């Protein structure tokens, strides 16, 4: 099966649209980012993270991942969730929860 046949098969398997080529990411600001970069402003922390994700999205969308010589493959990023940790204690509780969940998943 050549690349064109695989792409046609993949395209026929589900709905077409931007959600099929966009990866949702969960962005999180730790307490140091919140304090030093965002000057203790949740809105500023979110704005900074949105900016970074949009810049990364531009790079991803213009990248030719399949190396077919064409323009970018339009694979991108979008924010699915945002978390801003304002203090070290809350941040620590998240990572404890994350590791418990992550390492309890079967692989």
């Amino acid at each position: 099966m050549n690349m064109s046949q695989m792409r046609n098969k993949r395209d026929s398997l589900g709905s077409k649209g931007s959600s099929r080529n966009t990866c949702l990411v969960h962005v999180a600001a730790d307490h140091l980012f919140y304090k030093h970069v965002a000057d203790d402003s949740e809105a500023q922390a979110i704005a900074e993270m949105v900016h970074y994700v949009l810049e990364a999205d531009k790079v991803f969308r213009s990248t030719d991942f399949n190396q077919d010589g064409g323009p970018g493959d339009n694979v991108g990023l979008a924010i699915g969730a945002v978390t801003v940790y304002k203090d070290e204690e809350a941040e620590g509780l998240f990572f404890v929860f994350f590791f418990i969940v992550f390492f309890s998943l079967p692989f």
Side-chain angles (χ1 to χ4, degrees):
M1 182 179 292
N2 66 30
M3 197 66 145
S4 178
Q5 289 170 323
M6 287 190 301
R7 177 167 291 164
N8 289 338
K9 183 176 180 181
R10 183 183 67 215
D11 288 345
S12 68
L13 289 177
S15 65
K16 293 183 181 180
S18 64
S19 65
R20 290 181 38 85
N21 62 351
T22 302
C23 180
L24 293 178
V25 294
H26 180 166
V27 293
D30 70 354
H31 69 284
L32 295 173
F33 183 92
Y34 172 75
K35 181 177 181 179
H36 297 292
V37 176
D39 297 322
D40 293 323
S41 167
E42 186 173 8
Q44 183 63 31
I46 293 169
E48 290 282 340
M49 292 187 295
V50 167
H51 171 74
Y52 296 142
V53 172
L54 289 174
E55 290 300 311
D57 180 62
K58 288 179 190 176
V59 172
F60 270 74
R61 291 200 184 275
S62 64
T63 300
D64 181 16
F65 289 105
N66 62 7
Q67 299 179 349
D68 64 357
D73 294 330
N74 200 31
V75 174
L77 303 171
I79 296 176
V82 175
T83 303
V84 177
Y85 296 105
K86 298 176 183 178
D87 60 61
E88 191 172 2
E89 185 177 319
E91 182 182 331
L93 293 175
F94 169 78
F95 286 107
V96 168
F97 174 75
F98 172 78
F99 283 111
I100 290 171
V101 171
F102 181 77
F103 288 110
S104 66
L105 296 174
F107 289 100

